[in-house]
Amino acid sequence: MGVIHDARLDPSRPTAFVAAGGAQARAVVRVVGLRKVFKGDMVANDNIDLEILPGEVFGLLGPNGAGKTTLIMQVMGLLKPTAGAISVLGHDVVAHPNAAKGLVGFMPQKQIGHREMKVDQALYITGRLRGMSAAAARAQTEEVIARLDIGEFRRRPVEKLSGGMNRLATFAVTLMGRPQLIVLDEPTNDLDPLRRRRVWDVVAELNREGATVLLVTHNVLEAERVIQRVAIMSAGRIKALGSPGQLKARLGDEIRMEFVMRHTDGAADATVRRAVAPVEPLRVRPGRYVALVPRAEGGRYVDRALAALGEDVEDFRIAPPTLEDVYIQLDGHPLDDDA
Amino acid sequence: MTMRKWLTDYRYLTLAQYYNQLGWLPFMVVISALLPVGMLFGLRLIGGGIGGAGVPFVITGSAVVSIVTMAVTSVATDLFFERRLGAFVYYASLPIARSAFILAIVTIRLVNTLPGVVVTLVAGKFLYDADLAFSPWLVVVILLSILSLIGLGAAIGLGVSNEQVLHMLANLSIIFVMFGAPVMIPADLLPGALQVAGYFLPPTYAANAFRGAVFGASVTTYWVDLLVLAGFGVLSFIIVTTALRWRAE
């Protein structure tokens, strides 16, 4: 499967964005020929070229083990590439891994390791360590607490927070110091729907305020609201790159049919397969299936599927294609059980 | 990095270490004193014959065991779990100096260790009716002993990847100091191989210096021990700062 080229980075398809000054000169993150091989010859990243432009929310999408976290760890200067070049805000982070750390906020996938430290202490100290004055760190601590609505647990030790609260506290810490580039690795894991919505709202707000965001997430359907460009990774490589609209256009004139079956056994697989034949459905998790069918024949497919599935179907939806569908088409595998 | 930024980093990294241990600090202090004071008490009960030349070894040896408990075992465990919890990735993503991070860890362990050492020495004085002299150099001895041993704790905490191995090594370090090094037992009573090994281990020099500073000897009799401890301290600081990898596990 070939890479979908990004129109804004393609000189043969100039846009207003490129015309404004040239993407290469303005890139916040520039990755060229990146390769990372771990011990045992495990290739985590292979031949990756990527540019993230100022003021955009860039999503990295792909299944577990696709190499997304490895890629951002190298962008952060926390892993040394086997080959290739990475510049962040004009700094060569391969040669000088610490050069850009003052300008980048990083939310790792794991916790940040604080134990007895209280949430507001963690925020303030992070601000000071990021070079803020005492007054500025204090002010931003209050601002972030209010923005994320985490005042109720600001005085709780970090280790005593629930998984979701801990995730939110880690997100809050990442914002301290008002970094120019914010790198978020699965920011909404463990969060309830309301908190997830709050995080996406704040990401959108930060972006409007001028921050560039590099986002790794499994919550593709939600992230689609804020992502402006996306790279779909699989097996260490970038399979597709472009805006969500460009990538979804790749699916052509198709619509998405989604079924949730009452039973999750093998018989359900066969039933759904018969119901949408000759289109091959994908089981995205036990009991949940997606089929992309030609739009012009959508009505016929719907009638036939509902008749065939009868009482076995618990829920049925029909919608335009999503980024998840782009991924499925590219890789032939479901994105993630949580997606 | 400017000196001012380095000092700010050091201040707030130390504060972070302090906050993260605040809740269980009293417990740690009790633990660090419990083992050596228990040893002093037990040896007094079962080793009624200990007297004369043996008393300095028992009292100062117990103080060194207290230091090992905190500086080796506690540091190794803390760093291991900080690494596992992802704290290093967080710190590594910040614009801070590694040297400030290590020195912050050292500072808090120095503070944590002091009460246990003092309690052990005072308990030894009363339990054995010993005539302790407490030279002002004792402060230097304690600081250098802790510094030299924190390197060993950090090496275990940063180098080991298995929790069982971590606990085994941490416990072994205490047992070795108690029975395998010339700390509680005079060197000439140990087998030849252990006598030789003792020359390469900081607890040997820490125990020598403690005996000198606590039992009224002139600093001229143990300045070499102080020098060696300082050397171990500086060396371990450099090695740990260099070897500490800011990376994900």
Side-chain angles (χ1 to χ4, degrees):
Chain A
M1 192 68 68
V3 169
I4 299 172
H5 291 287
D6 179 356
R8 282 185 289 185
L9 300 179
D10 186 345
S12 67
R13 299 172 64 186
T15 66
F17 207 107
V18 173
Q24 289 198 356
R26 291 153 40 90
V28 171
V29 176
R30 184 156 190 253
V31 176
V32 180
L34 186 72
R35 182 175 166 81
K36 177 65 187 176
V37 183
F38 287 112
K39 279 179 190 167
D41 292 335
M42 196 196 85
V43 180
N45 289 151
D46 193 17
N47 197 28
I48 289 181
D49 296 318
L50 191 66
E51 281 183 333
I52 299 173
L53 306 175
E56 71 176 349
V57 180
F58 189 96
L60 271 180
L61 168 62
N64 295 330
K68 309 181 298 290
T69 296
T70 302
L71 172 57
I72 60 170
M73 293 297 272
Q74 291 168 97
V75 168
M76 287 301 304
L78 301 176
L79 271 179
K80 191 174 180 185
T82 306
I86 306 173
S87 76
V88 174
L89 291 157
H91 299 281
D92 177 352
V93 296
V94 177
H96 307 287
N98 296 324
K101 283 180 182 169
L103 308 168
V104 185
F106 177 47
M107 178 181 185
Q109 206 175 114
K110 279 186 165 185
Q111 300 168 10
I112 52 176
H114 291 319
R115 288 171 290 182
E116 301 271 334
M117 195 188 298
K118 295 181 173 65
V119 173
D120 53 5
Q121 291 170 337
L123 291 173
Y124 176 76
I125 286 177
T126 304
R128 293 293 276 145
L129 292 174
R130 284 193 169 281
M132 300 181 90
S133 70
R138 260 193 302 274
Q140 206 201 351
T141 296
E142 297 306 320
E143 177 202 316
V144 168
I145 286 171
R147 191 171 209 173
L148 289 172
D149 192 20
I150 55 175
E152 62 182 292
F153 57 86
R154 64 178 293 164
R155 296 303 297 161
R156 279 197 224 165
V158 173
E159 71 173 354
K160 297 214 165 68
L161 300 175
S162 68
M165 287 176 178
N166 199 310
R167 204 73 197 124
L168 214 51
T170 306
F171 180 59
V173 163
T174 308
L175 307 185
M176 293 304 296
R178 306 185 193 284
Q180 294 177 41
L181 171 66
I182 299 170
V183 180
L184 306 172
D185 194 354
E186 303 292 358
T188 55
N189 274 6
D190 300 326
L191 294 183
D192 61 52
L194 287 177
R195 302 276 195 201
R196 285 210 297 269
R197 177 175 290 187
R198 170 76 71 169
V199 167
W200 295 128
D201 286 346
V202 170
V203 168
E205 285 169 23
L206 291 167
N207 181 242
R208 281 197 294 275
E209 291 163 12
T212 304
V213 181
L214 170 56
L215 173 68
V216 173
T217 185
H218 281 136
N219 274 317
V220 190
L221 298 177
E222 292 176 12
E224 225 179 302
R225 282 175 46 210
V226 295
I227 287 174
Q228 291 150 9
R229 282 198 310 142
V230 61
I232 296 180
M233 289 187 70
S234 177
R237 286 174 166 267
I238 291 179
K239 290 283 190 86
L241 179 68
S243 69
Q246 286 173 326
L247 297 192
K248 284 188 280 189
R250 179 189 173 91
L251 292 173
D253 209 14
E254 291 181 323
I255 55 169
R256 169 195 175 93
M257 291 168 66
E258 184 178 336
F259 310 94
V260 178
M261 304 297 286
R262 291 191 194 282
H263 306 289
T264 57
D265 52 14
D269 286 8
T271 308
V272 174
R273 190 169 285 121
R274 273 197 307 275
V276 296
V279 170
E280 184 64 24
L282 274 161
R283 180 159 53 86
V284 291
R285 68 170 168 232
R288 183 180 161 218
Y289 301 84
V290 168
L292 296 170
V293 302
R295 184 182 296 270
E297 300 174 63
R300 188 173 65 82
Y301 270 97
V302 169
D303 291 343
R304 188 155 62 88
L306 290 178
L309 297 173
E311 294 294 313
D312 290 339
V313 69
E314 186 175 281
D315 194 11
F316 168 72
R317 290 174 203 169
I318 186 160
T322 65
L323 274 178
E324 185 178 27
D325 302 322
V326 177
Y327 173 81
I328 290 171
Q329 198 216 33
L330 281 168
D331 205 61
H333 293 289
L335 260 181
D336 183 79
D337 285 349
D338 298 320
Chain B
M1 180 174 288
T2 63
M3 180 55 78
R4 185 174 176 178
K5 169 74 171 106
W6 192 95
L7 288 172
T8 304
D9 288 354
Y10 170 67
R11 179 180 165 193
Y12 284 96
L13 289 167
T14 305
L15 200 59
Q17 291 285 325
Y18 169 73
Y19 283 148
N20 274 328
Q21 297 191 6
L22 198 55
W24 42 291
L25 197 58
F27 179 72
M28 282 196 336
V29 170
V30 170
I31 289 289
S32 73
L34 209 57
L35 177 62
V37 171
M39 277 170 30
L40 285 171
F41 187 68
L43 286 172
R44 185 171 176 274
L45 286 180
I46 61 173
I50 294 176
V55 169
F57 279 89
V58 171
I59 295 176
T60 57
S62 298
V64 173
V65 167
S66 172
I67 291 177
V68 170
T69 307
M70 291 301 287
V72 179
T73 311
S74 164
V75 167
T77 310
D78 280 357
L79 289 183
F80 178 85
F81 284 105
E82 285 207 352
R83 210 178 71 186
R84 178 174 277 189
L85 281 171
F88 285 2
V89 173
Y90 160 71
Y91 286 117
S93 71
L94 297 173
I96 56 171
R98 275 189 295 191
S99 56
F101 179 65
I102 298 291
L103 211 61
I105 291 172
V106 170
T107 304
I108 287 299
R109 268 54 181 203
L110 279 173
V111 174
N112 291 355
T113 308
L114 282 173
V117 174
V118 172
V119 168
T120 304
L121 291 176
V122 170
K125 176 180 171 59
F126 287 108
L127 283 171
Y128 289 84
D129 196 22
D131 190 16
L132 304 189
F134 291 122
S135 152
W137 282 96
L138 183 59
V139 178
V140 179
V141 173
I142 292 173
L143 292 180
L144 289 180
S145 299
I146 294 169
L147 267 178
S148 64
L149 284 162
I150 278 177
L152 182 58
I156 295 173
L158 296 173
V160 169
S161 55
N162 180 295
E163 194 175 334
Q164 275 72 36
V165 176
L166 167 84
H167 292 309
M168 198 177 72
L169 284 178
N171 289 331
L172 267 179
S173 67
I174 294 179
I175 292 169
F176 183 80
V177 166
M178 283 164 62
F179 303 114
V183 173
M184 298 194 72
I185 302 168
D188 50 10
L189 296 181
L190 289 171
L194 290 178
Q195 286 183 32
V196 174
Y199 284 111
F200 299 97
L201 297 167
T204 306
Y205 302 94
N208 280 343
F210 260 95
R211 280 192 291 277
V214 169
F215 285 92
S218 161
V219 70
T220 55
T221 62
Y222 57 86
W223 69 269
V224 174
D225 297 301
L226 293 181
L227 218 61
V228 175
L229 286 175
F232 271 119
V234 171
L235 193 68
S236 62
F237 180 75
I238 292 170
I239 289 172
V240 172
T241 305
T242 311
L244 174 64
R245 293 184 189 281
W246 290 131
R247 64 176 183 185
E249 293 292 317

